[in-house]
Amino acid sequence: MDLQIPLSRLKGVGPSFAKRLEKLGLMTALDLIYHFPFRYDDYSKIIRISEAPIDQEVTIKGQVWNIQNSSSRYGKTLTRAILNDGSGSVELVWFNQAWLIKNILSGDTLHVSGKVDRRQNKLTMVSPTWEKIIENSIGLHTGRLVPVYPETFGVNSKWLRDKINSLLPLVLGSLVDPLPLEYKEAMFSLGKALQTIHFPRSFTEINLAKTRLGFDELLEIQLSTQKRRADWKQKQSAKGFKINESDLTTFTSSLPFELTHGQKTVLAEIIEDLQKPQAMNRLIQGEVGSGKTVVAAIAIYLSFRNHLRSLLMAPTEILAMQHYSSLKKLLEPLGMSVGLYTGSSKFNKQKSGVISQELLVKQEDSPNDSEARDPQPASTAKRGELIANSYPNVIVGTHALLSEKLLKENVGLVVIDEQQRFGVKQRTILRQQNNNLKNLAPHFLTMTATPIPRTVALTIYGDLDVSVIGELPKGRKPIKTHYVPSHKRLDAYAFMTKKIAGGDQVYLVTPLIEESETLVSAKAAKAEFEKLQAQIFPQFRLGLLHGKLRPKEKEEVITRFKAGKIDLLVSTSVVEVGVDVPNATIMVIEGAERFGLAQLHQLRGRIGRGGKESFCLLFTEQEDPFVIQRLKNLENSSDGLKLSEIDLKIRGSGQLFGTKQAGRWDLKIASLSDVPLIEKTKSVAKEMLKASPELDKYPYYKGKLAGQSGVMPD
Ligand code: ADP
Ligand code: MG
């Protein structure tokens, strides 16, 4: 059987179901087999009717003695059947399913799963799941561990179970287990694992299946990151920087503070990398406010002192503008010119004019230092002094930087902020386009505020060297965080009113909506803004910030908020990173349950920057104790890493970066908290790459890495 056969051509699926399955991301026969249950209902214990406990989920096997329809008082059709298993009888009742009497006949053997109730000394089961059993066969929907799948409109778990069950033998017949024999050890074969994940006989079996399938997932990641790391080390030659102690002193003595111990350590690691004739590929991980930007600015300064230009890429325009203004403050006094490029020409044209047509870079007055104006020695300037002269020494921008020739201009260092949002692809483009410094690559420095547990970092960032800034600058006050249930909402508004009246400013973040749905979230934010302005805070000045605003408008809103001309800023989660307003002391997050804990922690990192006491209020309409308990973790902990680990345990790795798509890797089965499996796959990948550096010995994996399956990035 062709495993890639489109589902529409599969017997029993057809075009209309194929359309629905597309919503679940399922296109081919193999996709359907890799659509895994997210839980199992335990209907495995078949209970004798005489021993059936009341009000608990049970499965009963018996014979139908009688089945008939009747009408209830309210015009519904009632179908009643008597099921007997020799030990006793139970009455089964269904509503409005008159057709059942055509499917279930007297004399049939049935499995029924549901809760048993006792009414007037009679045992009944209302709307049980049922399944006809033929002679000693095992049921699919009852009498076993029953898989429950992610569903979509018109496709329920029962349907999926049936289809997967009939498809499995065909697929398993043509599936080759790609894992080399020597690494299989005691693990399930791929076929057995796939069979078992759908139709297990016990929870022990489920775990064994998960181990095998998780192994496969992690192995692919390990192979991919390790291979990329090896390729990088081999191919990416760079210009090693000459680093003078005096340059470092110049920079650090210009700062109004001393670097933290963490910043110093990370800086030392970066400096060591930069001196090598091999491109640095390092990730700085540090909480919001830990001072990553300053460290990056030092690297940028060192690049400048080596007559090279730098680029800083941020995921959003707002962030790019923030970085632009911080870098200006840090670097212009040291004789560097700083430019902004966001790719939205409206924004750039004001104040530009200096730069050639193809490069609309916003540039402030150039400093006087002649070396700063032309970091490129005249002898190597091929495209003409004039253009080279007009590039700023460091250009800050969004991904729009990628599409420009900026990349070709003597770039020695590329800094990427919040890199997981860019995805691996863009970074690859960046690397390729940069190979112009006599075919030398620039050094790469990426930064992330997402707290990543070490095991996770070593896996998903296995191709990068990771540095951690593990502390915040001294003197930061902890942020008081409160979960606010709906009935306390008005109290919270009263509290905000008092604070604003006292001169404080407030961020209010509207619920997280899928990143792709900018329009929807913009609308929601606007509605919230209008409601608050009209009904709750008519006396205050409210502002609105969302992804659909034009860059100019965004800049205006932020500038007004910074200047204290907006009291309360309603915003989508775009403020998550970047904006720095010390006078803002309250962070309100609506629909807090939709965010990951690490993300919430990042959001509240926006406040607590000045000397005043700061508060984070987590609003949720949900009353589920699990949801509340989860949010309460934020009341008790200010350790981002710990929070992300809790998240990892409760919500799985897919949620670590907020929305799944934003993550670098999509894991279906494996848990990034499964350290032994991570270690195991790491060493297997290492061995495989040692035995066959280009993976020629393992064509299946070579193909996977080449991106044929669509599972792997790059
Ligand atoms: P990050 O990018 O990690 O979120 P930033 O680099 O933007 O953090 O720094 C946050 C704030 O802390 C900035 O206002 C910065 O000037 C300040 N800062 C950075 N390092 C220190 C330090 N060592 N001591 C005091 N303040 C610092
Ligand atoms: Mg930052």
mmCIF file of all heavy atoms in Angstrom, residues 60-101:
data_model
loop_
_atom_site.group_PDB
_atom_site.id
_atom_site.type_symbol
_atom_site.label_atom_id
_atom_site.label_comp_id
_atom_site.label_asym_id
_atom_site.label_seq_id
_atom_site.Cartn_x
_atom_site.Cartn_y
_atom_site.Cartn_z
ATOM 1 N N ILE A 60 -20.287 -3.669 30.546
ATOM 2 C CA ILE A 60 -21.026 -4.901 30.800
ATOM 3 C C ILE A 60 -21.161 -5.646 29.486
ATOM 4 O O ILE A 60 -21.338 -5.022 28.430
ATOM 5 C CB ILE A 60 -22.426 -4.558 31.369
ATOM 6 C CG1 ILE A 60 -22.279 -4.001 32.792
ATOM 7 C CG2 ILE A 60 -23.341 -5.775 31.346
ATOM 8 C CD1 ILE A 60 -23.527 -3.360 33.325
ATOM 9 N N LYS A 61 -21.052 -6.950 29.569
ATOM 10 C CA LYS A 61 -21.260 -7.763 28.363
ATOM 11 C C LYS A 61 -22.482 -8.642 28.601
ATOM 12 O O LYS A 61 -22.557 -9.328 29.624
ATOM 13 C CB LYS A 61 -20.029 -8.639 28.122
ATOM 14 C CG LYS A 61 -20.135 -9.532 26.906
ATOM 15 C CD LYS A 61 -18.872 -10.377 26.782
ATOM 16 C CE LYS A 61 -18.951 -11.271 25.544
ATOM 17 N NZ LYS A 61 -17.744 -12.076 25.386
ATOM 18 N N GLY A 62 -23.428 -8.568 27.693
ATOM 19 C CA GLY A 62 -24.624 -9.374 27.912
ATOM 20 C C GLY A 62 -25.404 -9.587 26.632
ATOM 21 O O GLY A 62 -24.993 -9.148 25.551
ATOM 22 N N GLN A 63 -26.533 -10.247 26.792
ATOM 23 C CA GLN A 63 -27.357 -10.535 25.628
ATOM 24 C C GLN A 63 -28.608 -9.662 25.664
ATOM 25 O O GLN A 63 -29.193 -9.447 26.738
ATOM 26 C CB GLN A 63 -27.756 -12.003 25.654
ATOM 27 C CG GLN A 63 -28.120 -12.500 24.281
ATOM 28 C CD GLN A 63 -28.431 -13.979 24.302
ATOM 29 O OE1 GLN A 63 -28.987 -14.492 25.288
ATOM 30 N NE2 GLN A 63 -28.090 -14.677 23.244
ATOM 31 N N VAL A 64 -28.994 -9.176 24.505
ATOM 32 C CA VAL A 64 -30.196 -8.334 24.432
ATOM 33 C C VAL A 64 -31.424 -9.232 24.462
ATOM 34 O O VAL A 64 -31.544 -10.161 23.673
ATOM 35 C CB VAL A 64 -30.183 -7.501 23.134
ATOM 36 C CG1 VAL A 64 -31.432 -6.637 23.050
ATOM 37 C CG2 VAL A 64 -28.933 -6.640 23.070
ATOM 38 N N TRP A 65 -32.296 -8.957 25.436
ATOM 39 C CA TRP A 65 -33.508 -9.770 25.541
ATOM 40 C C TRP A 65 -34.692 -9.129 24.839
ATOM 41 O O TRP A 65 -35.586 -9.775 24.368
ATOM 42 C CB TRP A 65 -33.852 -10.002 27.034
ATOM 43 C CG TRP A 65 -33.052 -11.132 27.615
ATOM 44 C CD1 TRP A 65 -32.008 -11.754 27.038
ATOM 45 C CD2 TRP A 65 -33.260 -11.750 28.875
ATOM 46 N NE1 TRP A 65 -31.521 -12.728 27.849
ATOM 47 C CE2 TRP A 65 -32.282 -12.758 29.013
ATOM 48 C CE3 TRP A 65 -34.174 -11.559 29.939
ATOM 49 C CZ2 TRP A 65 -32.186 -13.578 30.135
ATOM 50 C CZ3 TRP A 65 -34.078 -12.378 31.048
ATOM 51 C CH2 TRP A 65 -33.082 -13.381 31.152
ATOM 52 N N ASN A 66 -34.651 -7.836 24.800
ATOM 53 C CA ASN A 66 -35.815 -7.163 24.260
ATOM 54 C C ASN A 66 -35.407 -5.742 23.933
ATOM 55 O O ASN A 66 -34.657 -5.121 24.671
ATOM 56 C CB ASN A 66 -36.923 -7.164 25.338
ATOM 57 C CG ASN A 66 -38.175 -6.490 24.816
ATOM 58 O OD1 ASN A 66 -38.367 -6.379 23.601
ATOM 59 N ND2 ASN A 66 -39.020 -6.015 25.724
ATOM 60 N N ILE A 67 -35.843 -5.197 22.802
ATOM 61 C CA ILE A 67 -35.553 -3.794 22.513
ATOM 62 C C ILE A 67 -36.754 -3.192 21.820
ATOM 63 O O ILE A 67 -37.345 -3.797 20.917
ATOM 64 C CB ILE A 67 -34.258 -3.641 21.674
ATOM 65 C CG1 ILE A 67 -34.001 -2.159 21.352
ATOM 66 C CG2 ILE A 67 -34.301 -4.447 20.376
ATOM 67 C CD1 ILE A 67 -32.568 -1.855 20.949
ATOM 68 N N GLN A 68 -37.192 -2.012 22.253
ATOM 69 C CA GLN A 68 -38.328 -1.363 21.588
ATOM 70 C C GLN A 68 -38.339 0.142 21.797
ATOM 71 O O GLN A 68 -37.746 0.654 22.742
ATOM 72 C CB GLN A 68 -39.642 -1.977 22.045
ATOM 73 C CG GLN A 68 -39.872 -1.855 23.529
ATOM 74 C CD GLN A 68 -41.062 -2.698 23.969
ATOM 75 O OE1 GLN A 68 -41.489 -3.612 23.266
ATOM 76 N NE2 GLN A 68 -41.609 -2.394 25.129
ATOM 77 N N ASN A 69 -39.033 0.815 20.892
ATOM 78 C CA ASN A 69 -39.171 2.276 20.982
ATOM 79 C C ASN A 69 -40.473 2.650 21.668
ATOM 80 O O ASN A 69 -41.472 1.942 21.563
ATOM 81 C CB ASN A 69 -39.195 2.890 19.580
ATOM 82 C CG ASN A 69 -37.812 2.888 18.954
ATOM 83 O OD1 ASN A 69 -36.801 2.840 19.664
ATOM 84 N ND2 ASN A 69 -37.761 2.922 17.629
ATOM 85 N N SER A 70 -40.460 3.777 22.344
ATOM 86 C CA SER A 70 -41.703 4.345 22.858
ATOM 87 C C SER A 70 -41.554 5.860 22.841
ATOM 88 O O SER A 70 -40.460 6.374 22.590
ATOM 89 C CB SER A 70 -41.960 3.847 24.276
ATOM 90 O OG SER A 70 -40.897 4.274 25.116
ATOM 91 N N SER A 71 -42.657 6.565 23.101
ATOM 92 C CA SER A 71 -42.560 8.028 23.121
ATOM 93 C C SER A 71 -42.586 8.507 24.559
ATOM 94 O O SER A 71 -43.351 8.010 25.374
ATOM 95 C CB SER A 71 -43.745 8.659 22.388
ATOM 96 O OG SER A 71 -43.639 8.379 21.027
ATOM 97 N N SER A 72 -41.753 9.489 24.835
ATOM 98 C CA SER A 72 -41.783 10.041 26.176
ATOM 99 C C SER A 72 -42.852 11.127 26.216
ATOM 100 O O SER A 72 -43.386 11.536 25.192
ATOM 101 C CB SER A 72 -40.432 10.643 26.541
ATOM 102 O OG SER A 72 -40.324 11.926 25.980
ATOM 103 N N ARG A 73 -43.116 11.611 27.399
ATOM 104 C CA ARG A 73 -44.115 12.663 27.557
ATOM 105 C C ARG A 73 -43.743 13.909 26.766
ATOM 106 O O ARG A 73 -44.574 14.660 26.331
ATOM 107 C CB ARG A 73 -44.231 13.029 29.038
ATOM 108 C CG ARG A 73 -45.378 12.326 29.716
ATOM 109 C CD ARG A 73 -45.402 12.723 31.165
ATOM 110 N NE ARG A 73 -44.225 12.194 31.868
ATOM 111 C CZ ARG A 73 -43.914 12.513 33.120
ATOM 112 N NH1 ARG A 73 -44.633 13.372 33.788
ATOM 113 N NH2 ARG A 73 -42.860 11.980 33.702
ATOM 114 N N TYR A 74 -42.454 14.158 26.599
ATOM 115 C CA TYR A 74 -42.033 15.400 25.961
ATOM 116 C C TYR A 74 -41.804 15.237 24.470
ATOM 117 O O TYR A 74 -41.116 16.031 23.850
ATOM 118 C CB TYR A 74 -40.757 15.904 26.640
ATOM 119 C CG TYR A 74 -40.912 15.938 28.131
ATOM 120 C CD1 TYR A 74 -40.319 14.958 28.933
ATOM 121 C CD2 TYR A 74 -41.693 16.920 28.738
ATOM 122 C CE1 TYR A 74 -40.490 14.976 30.305
ATOM 123 C CE2 TYR A 74 -41.874 16.936 30.117
ATOM 124 C CZ TYR A 74 -41.272 15.962 30.904
ATOM 125 O OH TYR A 74 -41.456 15.977 32.264
ATOM 126 N N GLY A 75 -42.337 14.187 23.914
ATOM 127 C CA GLY A 75 -42.260 14.020 22.472
ATOM 128 C C GLY A 75 -40.956 13.414 21.992
ATOM 129 O O GLY A 75 -40.701 13.313 20.811
ATOM 130 N N LYS A 76 -40.100 13.017 22.915
ATOM 131 C CA LYS A 76 -38.872 12.351 22.500
ATOM 132 C C LYS A 76 -39.148 10.869 22.277
ATOM 133 O O LYS A 76 -40.046 10.302 22.882
ATOM 134 C CB LYS A 76 -37.822 12.458 23.609
ATOM 135 C CG LYS A 76 -37.143 13.801 23.698
ATOM 136 C CD LYS A 76 -36.043 13.736 24.740
ATOM 137 C CE LYS A 76 -35.321 15.076 24.847
ATOM 138 N NZ LYS A 76 -34.420 15.102 26.001
ATOM 139 N N THR A 77 -38.304 10.269 21.417
ATOM 140 C CA THR A 77 -38.394 8.823 21.281
ATOM 141 C C THR A 77 -37.461 8.184 22.294
ATOM 142 O O THR A 77 -36.317 8.595 22.422
ATOM 143 C CB THR A 77 -37.960 8.383 19.873
ATOM 144 O OG1 THR A 77 -38.739 9.092 18.929
ATOM 145 C CG2 THR A 77 -38.154 6.894 19.697
ATOM 146 N N LEU A 78 -37.988 7.232 23.023
ATOM 147 C CA LEU A 78 -37.158 6.486 23.969
ATOM 148 C C LEU A 78 -36.922 5.104 23.399
ATOM 149 O O LEU A 78 -37.863 4.460 22.943
ATOM 150 C CB LEU A 78 -37.889 6.325 25.306
ATOM 151 C CG LEU A 78 -37.940 7.509 26.258
ATOM 152 C CD1 LEU A 78 -38.664 7.115 27.524
ATOM 153 C CD2 LEU A 78 -36.524 7.959 26.579
ATOM 154 N N THR A 79 -35.663 4.686 23.406
ATOM 155 C CA THR A 79 -35.398 3.301 23.041
ATOM 156 C C THR A 79 -34.945 2.584 24.306
ATOM 157 O O THR A 79 -34.028 3.054 24.985
ATOM 158 C CB THR A 79 -34.302 3.211 21.972
ATOM 159 O OG1 THR A 79 -34.678 4.032 20.866
ATOM 160 C CG2 THR A 79 -34.097 1.784 21.509
ATOM 161 N N ARG A 80 -35.654 1.508 24.652
ATOM 162 C CA ARG A 80 -35.288 0.755 25.853
ATOM 163 C C ARG A 80 -34.919 -0.668 25.441
ATOM 164 O O ARG A 80 -35.559 -1.244 24.563
ATOM 165 C CB ARG A 80 -36.461 0.639 26.819
ATOM 166 C CG ARG A 80 -36.939 1.940 27.410
ATOM 167 C CD ARG A 80 -38.208 1.613 28.193
ATOM 168 N NE ARG A 80 -39.008 2.808 28.404
ATOM 169 C CZ ARG A 80 -38.938 3.547 29.516
ATOM 170 N NH1 ARG A 80 -38.133 3.187 30.491
ATOM 171 N NH2 ARG A 80 -39.683 4.619 29.634
ATOM 172 N N ALA A 81 -33.873 -1.184 26.107
ATOM 173 C CA ALA A 81 -33.507 -2.583 25.856
ATOM 174 C C ALA A 81 -33.179 -3.235 27.187
ATOM 175 O O ALA A 81 -32.743 -2.552 28.121
ATOM 176 C CB ALA A 81 -32.299 -2.643 24.929
ATOM 177 N N ILE A 82 -33.406 -4.503 27.267
ATOM 178 C CA ILE A 82 -33.004 -5.247 28.458
ATOM 179 C C ILE A 82 -31.762 -6.046 28.107
ATOM 180 O O ILE A 82 -31.732 -6.751 27.100
ATOM 181 C CB ILE A 82 -34.111 -6.225 28.921
ATOM 182 C CG1 ILE A 82 -35.409 -5.466 29.207
ATOM 183 C CG2 ILE A 82 -33.657 -7.022 30.146
ATOM 184 C CD1 ILE A 82 -35.322 -4.511 30.378
ATOM 185 N N LEU A 83 -30.721 -5.878 28.910
ATOM 186 C CA LEU A 83 -29.484 -6.623 28.683
ATOM 187 C C LEU A 83 -29.273 -7.558 29.861
ATOM 188 O O LEU A 83 -29.354 -7.142 31.021
ATOM 189 C CB LEU A 83 -28.309 -5.643 28.585
ATOM 190 C CG LEU A 83 -26.999 -6.242 28.082
ATOM 191 C CD1 LEU A 83 -27.059 -6.418 26.567
ATOM 192 C CD2 LEU A 83 -25.817 -5.343 28.438
ATOM 193 N N ASN A 84 -29.019 -8.821 29.576
ATOM 194 C CA ASN A 84 -28.850 -9.807 30.647
ATOM 195 C C ASN A 84 -27.528 -10.537 30.483
ATOM 196 O O ASN A 84 -27.147 -10.898 29.367
ATOM 197 C CB ASN A 84 -30.011 -10.810 30.596
ATOM 198 C CG ASN A 84 -29.929 -11.795 31.755
ATOM 199 O OD1 ASN A 84 -29.052 -12.653 31.787
ATOM 200 N ND2 ASN A 84 -30.840 -11.653 32.704
ATOM 201 N N ASP A 85 -26.800 -10.691 31.581
ATOM 202 C CA ASP A 85 -25.511 -11.395 31.474
ATOM 203 C C ASP A 85 -25.474 -12.659 32.321
ATOM 204 O O ASP A 85 -24.405 -13.172 32.658
ATOM 205 C CB ASP A 85 -24.346 -10.465 31.843
ATOM 206 C CG ASP A 85 -24.274 -10.173 33.333
ATOM 207 O OD1 ASP A 85 -25.229 -10.509 34.061
ATOM 208 O OD2 ASP A 85 -23.256 -9.608 33.763
ATOM 209 N N GLY A 86 -26.641 -13.152 32.713
ATOM 210 C CA GLY A 86 -26.674 -14.372 33.512
ATOM 211 C C GLY A 86 -26.694 -14.079 34.996
ATOM 212 O O GLY A 86 -27.272 -14.820 35.778
ATOM 213 N N SER A 87 -26.059 -12.937 35.380
ATOM 214 C CA SER A 87 -26.049 -12.607 36.806
ATOM 215 C C SER A 87 -27.192 -11.647 37.131
ATOM 216 O O SER A 87 -27.555 -11.472 38.281
ATOM 217 C CB SER A 87 -24.722 -11.951 37.194
ATOM 218 O OG SER A 87 -24.709 -10.600 36.793
ATOM 219 N N GLY A 88 -27.722 -11.016 36.107
ATOM 220 C CA GLY A 88 -28.796 -10.071 36.327
ATOM 221 C C GLY A 88 -29.106 -9.305 35.054
ATOM 222 O O GLY A 88 -28.508 -9.571 34.005
ATOM 223 N N SER A 89 -30.033 -8.351 35.153
ATOM 224 C CA SER A 89 -30.417 -7.560 33.986
ATOM 225 C C SER A 89 -30.246 -6.076 34.264
ATOM 226 O O SER A 89 -30.341 -5.631 35.404
ATOM 227 C CB SER A 89 -31.899 -7.788 33.641
ATOM 228 O OG SER A 89 -32.092 -9.098 33.197
ATOM 229 N N VAL A 90 -30.014 -5.339 33.200
ATOM 230 C CA VAL A 90 -29.955 -3.896 33.309
ATOM 231 C C VAL A 90 -30.765 -3.332 32.149
ATOM 232 O O VAL A 90 -30.776 -3.897 31.048
ATOM 233 C CB VAL A 90 -28.489 -3.398 33.301
ATOM 234 C CG1 VAL A 90 -27.783 -3.766 32.023
ATOM 235 C CG2 VAL A 90 -28.411 -1.900 33.519
ATOM 236 N N GLU A 91 -31.484 -2.237 32.426
ATOM 237 C CA GLU A 91 -32.234 -1.610 31.345
ATOM 238 C C GLU A 91 -31.388 -0.523 30.704
ATOM 239 O O GLU A 91 -30.819 0.329 31.391
ATOM 240 C CB GLU A 91 -33.534 -1.004 31.872
ATOM 241 C CG GLU A 91 -34.400 -0.477 30.720
ATOM 242 C CD GLU A 91 -35.667 0.234 31.209
ATOM 243 O OE1 GLU A 91 -35.554 1.126 32.079
ATOM 244 O OE2 GLU A 91 -36.750 -0.116 30.713
ATOM 245 N N LEU A 92 -31.268 -0.582 29.367
ATOM 246 C CA LEU A 92 -30.519 0.446 28.634
ATOM 247 C C LEU A 92 -31.514 1.436 28.054
ATOM 248 O O LEU A 92 -32.558 1.035 27.548
ATOM 249 C CB LEU A 92 -29.719 -0.194 27.495
ATOM 250 C CG LEU A 92 -28.931 -1.459 27.842
ATOM 251 C CD1 LEU A 92 -28.300 -2.048 26.577
ATOM 252 C CD2 LEU A 92 -27.859 -1.155 28.889
ATOM 253 N N VAL A 93 -31.203 2.722 28.156
ATOM 254 C CA VAL A 93 -32.119 3.741 27.639
ATOM 255 C C VAL A 93 -31.356 4.716 26.747
ATOM 256 O O VAL A 93 -30.279 5.191 27.108
ATOM 257 C CB VAL A 93 -32.747 4.554 28.800
ATOM 258 C CG1 VAL A 93 -33.768 5.553 28.251
ATOM 259 C CG2 VAL A 93 -33.400 3.632 29.811
ATOM 260 N N TRP A 94 -31.914 4.961 25.557
ATOM 261 C CA TRP A 94 -31.344 5.999 24.662
ATOM 262 C C TRP A 94 -32.447 6.973 24.270
ATOM 263 O O TRP A 94 -33.620 6.584 24.182
ATOM 264 C CB TRP A 94 -30.789 5.353 23.384
ATOM 265 C CG TRP A 94 -29.570 4.498 23.572
ATOM 266 C CD1 TRP A 94 -28.287 4.929 23.642
ATOM 267 C CD2 TRP A 94 -29.517 3.066 23.675
ATOM 268 N NE1 TRP A 94 -27.431 3.858 23.791
ATOM 269 C CE2 TRP A 94 -28.152 2.698 23.811
ATOM 270 C CE3 TRP A 94 -30.479 2.052 23.663
ATOM 271 C CZ2 TRP A 94 -27.729 1.380 23.934
ATOM 272 C CZ3 TRP A 94 -30.056 0.733 23.790
ATOM 273 C CH2 TRP A 94 -28.692 0.402 23.932
ATOM 274 N N PHE A 95 -32.108 8.202 24.022
ATOM 275 C CA PHE A 95 -33.094 9.199 23.601
ATOM 276 C C PHE A 95 -32.928 9.535 22.128
ATOM 277 O O PHE A 95 -31.804 9.702 21.648
ATOM 278 C CB PHE A 95 -32.921 10.489 24.417
ATOM 279 C CG PHE A 95 -33.129 10.283 25.891
ATOM 280 C CD1 PHE A 95 -32.052 10.141 26.751
ATOM 281 C CD2 PHE A 95 -34.424 10.204 26.405
ATOM 282 C CE1 PHE A 95 -32.242 9.936 28.108
ATOM 283 C CE2 PHE A 95 -34.623 10.005 27.767
ATOM 284 C CZ PHE A 95 -33.528 9.858 28.629
ATOM 285 N N ASN A 96 -34.050 9.673 21.461
ATOM 286 C CA ASN A 96 -34.039 10.102 20.062
ATOM 287 C C ASN A 96 -33.062 9.343 19.179
ATOM 288 O O ASN A 96 -32.339 9.928 18.391
ATOM 289 C CB ASN A 96 -33.711 11.606 19.982
ATOM 290 C CG ASN A 96 -34.937 12.434 20.338
ATOM 291 O OD1 ASN A 96 -36.066 11.942 20.219
ATOM 292 N ND2 ASN A 96 -34.721 13.660 20.782
ATOM 293 N N GLN A 97 -33.009 8.061 19.357
ATOM 294 C CA GLN A 97 -32.193 7.245 18.450
ATOM 295 C C GLN A 97 -33.034 6.058 17.980
ATOM 296 O O GLN A 97 -32.637 4.896 18.105
ATOM 297 C CB GLN A 97 -30.923 6.750 19.144
ATOM 298 C CG GLN A 97 -30.010 7.903 19.571
ATOM 299 C CD GLN A 97 -28.659 7.429 20.036
ATOM 300 O OE1 GLN A 97 -28.053 6.541 19.448
ATOM 301 N NE2 GLN A 97 -28.170 8.015 21.112
ATOM 302 N N ALA A 98 -34.205 6.406 17.430
ATOM 303 C CA ALA A 98 -35.169 5.378 17.039
ATOM 304 C C ALA A 98 -34.547 4.308 16.141
ATOM 305 O O ALA A 98 -34.927 3.138 16.187
ATOM 306 C CB ALA A 98 -36.357 6.029 16.334
ATOM 307 N N TRP A 99 -33.553 4.740 15.347
ATOM 308 C CA TRP A 99 -32.911 3.813 14.401
ATOM 309 C C TRP A 99 -32.195 2.660 15.092
ATOM 310 O O TRP A 99 -31.893 1.654 14.468
ATOM 311 C CB TRP A 99 -31.921 4.565 13.517
ATOM 312 C CG TRP A 99 -30.935 5.413 14.292
ATOM 313 C CD1 TRP A 99 -31.110 6.697 14.680
ATOM 314 C CD2 TRP A 99 -29.671 5.013 14.805
ATOM 315 N NE1 TRP A 99 -30.038 7.139 15.394
ATOM 316 C CE2 TRP A 99 -29.131 6.126 15.492
ATOM 317 C CE3 TRP A 99 -28.929 3.822 14.758
ATOM 318 C CZ2 TRP A 99 -27.899 6.080 16.134
ATOM 319 C CZ3 TRP A 99 -27.702 3.789 15.390
ATOM 320 C CH2 TRP A 99 -27.194 4.898 16.074
ATOM 321 N N LEU A 100 -31.943 2.806 16.370
ATOM 322 C CA LEU A 100 -31.204 1.756 17.075
ATOM 323 C C LEU A 100 -31.857 0.388 16.959
ATOM 324 O O LEU A 100 -31.174 -0.635 16.890
ATOM 325 C CB LEU A 100 -31.065 2.118 18.561
ATOM 326 C CG LEU A 100 -29.952 3.100 18.914
ATOM 327 C CD1 LEU A 100 -29.998 3.422 20.396
ATOM 328 C CD2 LEU A 100 -28.589 2.514 18.540
ATOM 329 N N ILE A 101 -33.233 0.382 16.931
ATOM 330 C CA ILE A 101 -33.880 -0.936 16.924
ATOM 331 C C ILE A 101 -33.638 -1.697 15.629
ATOM 332 O O ILE A 101 -33.881 -2.891 15.540
ATOM 333 C CB ILE A 101 -35.404 -0.847 17.201
ATOM 334 C CG1 ILE A 101 -36.093 0.005 16.136
ATOM 335 C CG2 ILE A 101 -35.678 -0.292 18.589
ATOM 336 C CD1 ILE A 101 -37.610 -0.225 16.171
#
